């Protein structure tokens, strides 16, 4: 279909800009200055063709609008980029049919084993999971380890079994100090003396057990390109770069990962659906990566689901532990379920019984 507004538009490859990538906050503040009226109309037409478009400024644009007889000759459009979304239907993570919805083991199979530990991930593999989620935190000496909370108090105890009374932040402890604590006994005596795993040990476990990692980047003081590079290098060295999914509530963290891994898969975590949600997905989207929304199960409904899909994206949901939640999601074209309880077989069996195909 020829674009009526841009009959002479040429889409050319252009060289990468070397200017600093703007943050989502900066991009949002400048959005009104960046989008001329003619371009807005064009975007509406392309959206009607089920295209997802991201507007970016000075940010490694692979494609750019070069000229158009219908656009204002006195305006400079050289820094406006229209980026088409990746073909998510061809992604090995995207499932065309609802019966193929993925089940992701939340912090491993934490229903029976201590969360974010090697036994939990091994248990997930033994119970048929193909994908496992973890939380990455950082020690005082900059070692990435698996921990959900800011402190270790909830999931750790002393070697003698005594609980921790005073708060102990992971960021205030060196890795060797963390080895003095037991991260398994709280879940059962069979897990006594379980150690906190490093990120490298987690990646090795995923490789050995044929698991695809979902890596949540927790809010961390000083998360920068150096730390992002460290995490990506661990994944690359294990040969899992094409099997990993990076998720976070912080879109700029995901951007840092994308700078280190061009073809990465990114999931933007959110507890609700707002007017900024789609803009955040577009901010993250490039021609080469894959982006989806990872939303709290209670926050998704017919309207938000339709909005996500009309924008060219798809969604997964967390943390799904009741049949009622599965019932709702089965009618909304959900593509992934992060859960503490349901196994991969449970989810697929339930979605097979639903009416949607």
């Amino acid at each position: 279909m020829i674009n009526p507004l841009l009959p002479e538009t040429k889409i050319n490859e252009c060289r990468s800009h070397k200017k600093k990538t703007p943050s989502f906050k900066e991009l949002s503040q400048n959005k009104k200055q960046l989008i001329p009226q003619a371009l807005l109309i064009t975007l509406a037409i392309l959206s009607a063709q089920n295209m997802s478009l991201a507007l970016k400024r000075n940010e490694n644009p692979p494609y750019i609008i070069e000229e158009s007889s219908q656009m204002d000759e006195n305006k400079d459009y050289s820094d406006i980029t229209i980026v088409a979304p990746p073909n998510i239907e061809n992604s090995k993570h995207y499932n065309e049919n609802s019966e193929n919805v993925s089940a992701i083991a939340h912090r491993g199979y934490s229903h029976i084993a201590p969360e974010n530990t090697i036994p939990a991930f091994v248990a997930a593999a033994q119970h048929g999971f193909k994908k496992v989620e973890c939380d990455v935190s950082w020690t005082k000496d900059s070692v990435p380890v698996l921990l959900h909370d800011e402190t270790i108090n909830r999931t750790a105890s002393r070697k003698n079994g005594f609980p921790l009374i005073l708060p102990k932040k992971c960021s205030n402890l060196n890795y060797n100090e963390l080895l003095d604590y037991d991260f398994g006994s709280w879940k059962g005596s069979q897990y006594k003396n379980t150690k906190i795993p490093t990120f490298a040990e987690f990646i090795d476990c995923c490789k050995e057990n044929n698991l695809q990692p979902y890596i949540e980047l927790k809010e961390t003081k000083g998360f920068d390109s150096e730390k992002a590079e460290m995490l990506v290098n661990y994944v690359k060295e294990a040969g899992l770069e094409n099997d990993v999914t990076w998720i976070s509530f912080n879109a700029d963290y995901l951007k840092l990962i994308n700078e280190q891994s061009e073809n990465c898969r990114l999931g933007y975590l959110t507890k609700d659906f707002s007017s900024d949600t789609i803009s955040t997905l577009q901010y993250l989207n490039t021609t080469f990566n894959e982006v989806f929304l990872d939303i709290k199960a209670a926050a998704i409904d017919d309207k938000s689901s339709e909005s996500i899909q009309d924008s060219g994206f798809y969604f997964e949901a967390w943390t799904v532990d009741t049949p009622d939640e599965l019932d709702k999601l089965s009618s909304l074209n959900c593509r992934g379920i992060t859960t503490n309880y349901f196994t991969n077989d449970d989810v697929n069996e339930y979605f097979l019984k639903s009416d949607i195909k």
Side-chain angles (χ1 to χ4, degrees):
M1 177 178 179
I2 297 176
N3 189 326
L5 288 181
L6 306 176
E8 299 178 6
T9 298
K10 297 179 182 179
I11 305 297
N12 292 333
E13 290 190 358
C14 66
R15 291 175 297 179
S16 299
H17 293 268
K18 293 185 178 181
K19 294 184 179 181
K20 181 181 178 182
T21 299
S23 69
F24 179 59
K25 182 177 181 181
E26 293 169 336
L27 194 66
S28 299
Q29 290 173 343
N30 294 321
K31 185 166 61 175
K32 291 183 179 180
Q33 287 76 32
L34 290 176
I35 307 176
Q37 184 176 7
L39 203 54
L40 283 174
I41 298 173
T42 303
L43 288 177
I45 293 173
L46 293 175
S47 177
Q49 300 171 12
N50 198 26
M51 291 288 290
S52 169
L53 300 173
L55 295 179
K56 300 180 176 65
R57 182 175 185 133
N58 295 334
E59 184 194 351
N60 300 328
Y63 305 104
I64 191 167
I65 291 180
E66 186 179 80
E67 61 179 288
S68 170
S69 60
Q70 299 297 317
M71 299 182 78
D72 191 337
E73 296 180 354
N74 296 319
K75 290 189 177 183
D76 179 13
Y77 297 99
S78 62
D79 61 353
I80 300 295
T81 305
I82 294 184
V83 180
N87 187 352
I88 58 175
E89 287 81 0
N90 291 334
S91 166
K92 64 181 176 179
H93 296 277
Y94 182 85
N95 300 303
E96 179 68 23
N97 298 315
S98 60
E99 60 262 29
N100 293 323
V101 168
S102 298
I104 302 100
H106 188 224
R107 307 173 197 168
Y109 198 25
S110 54
H111 175 50
I112 62 173
E115 66 182 58
N116 279 320
T117 65
I118 298 302
F121 301 119
V122 172
Q126 292 172 341
H127 285 79
F129 285 95
K130 302 300 182 183
K131 300 178 180 181
V132 290
E133 185 262 0
C134 76
D135 303 286
V136 177
S137 296
W138 296 82
T139 65
K140 184 178 180 180
D141 51 345
S142 296
V143 176
V145 294
L146 302 195
L147 184 72
H148 177 270
D149 300 354
E150 186 178 7
T151 70
I152 67 172
N153 292 57
R154 180 175 61 85
T155 55
S157 60
R158 301 184 187 279
K159 287 184 177 180
N160 58 10
F162 289 1
L164 304 177
I165 305 302
L166 298 177
K168 289 189 176 292
K169 290 186 177 182
C170 180
S171 58
N172 290 339
L173 297 169
N174 290 322
Y175 172 64
N176 285 336
E177 293 178 292
L178 285 172
L179 295 179
D180 290 333
Y181 297 96
D182 176 355
F183 283 81
S185 291
W186 69 277
K187 196 69 175 181
S189 59
Q190 67 271 39
Y191 300 112
K192 184 178 181 180
N193 294 326
T194 297
K195 303 301 181 184
I196 188 172
T198 63
F199 180 73
E201 290 170 338
F202 165 69
I203 293 298
D204 288 342
C205 177
C206 288
K207 184 175 183 178
E208 292 170 4
N209 291 277
N210 197 28
L211 293 169
Q212 295 180 23
Y214 270 54
I215 302 166
E216 180 177 348
L217 307 173
K218 305 298 291 184
E219 286 289 341
T220 304
K221 183 179 180 181
F223 187 80
D224 54 19
S225 58
E226 183 177 344
K227 288 183 175 178
E229 183 180 15
M230 182 189 302
L231 297 178
V232 170
N233 282 343
Y234 279 127
V235 171
K236 287 181 177 179
E237 289 170 6
L240 296 179
E241 186 177 10
N242 295 325
D243 296 305
V244 69
T245 298
W246 305 89
I247 60 177
S248 182
F249 288 96
N250 190 317
D252 291 328
Y253 286 9
L254 296 177
K255 269 294 188 185
L256 289 171
I257 292 293
N258 202 171
E259 290 173 2
Q260 303 297 327
S261 179
E262 185 178 58
N263 299 313
C264 62
R265 182 174 188 253
L266 305 176
Y268 175 59
L269 286 166
T270 182
K271 295 180 179 179
D272 52 34
F273 187 87
S274 70
S275 58
D276 293 329
T277 302
I278 299 300
S279 297
T280 305
L281 296 177
Q282 292 171 336
Y283 163 69
L284 291 169
N285 184 38
T286 72
T287 302
F288 307 105
N289 68 8
E290 180 181 347
V291 176
F292 68 97
L293 185 66
D294 204 350
I295 189 169
K296 187 175 181 179
I300 194 74
D301 55 23
D302 290 335
K303 185 177 180 180
S304 54
S305 174
E306 183 178 353
S307 178
I308 294 165
Q309 294 175 75
D310 286 348
S311 299
F313 298 98
Y314 63 97
F315 78 92
E316 297 183 2
W318 58 271
T319 302
V320 182
D321 290 331
T322 69
D324 286 344
E325 290 172 318
L326 277 180
D327 184 52
K328 181 181 78 169
L329 293 168
S330 68
S331 66
L332 297 178
N333 208 23
C334 180
R335 298 303 180 188
I337 302 291
T338 298
T339 178
N340 291 309
Y341 298 102
F342 298 119
T343 65
N344 209 59
D345 290 340
D346 291 332
V347 171
N348 285 318
E349 180 181 355
Y350 192 92
F351 272 68
L352 275 169
K353 292 178 180 179
S354 68
D355 293 330
I356 64 171
K357 296 297 181 184

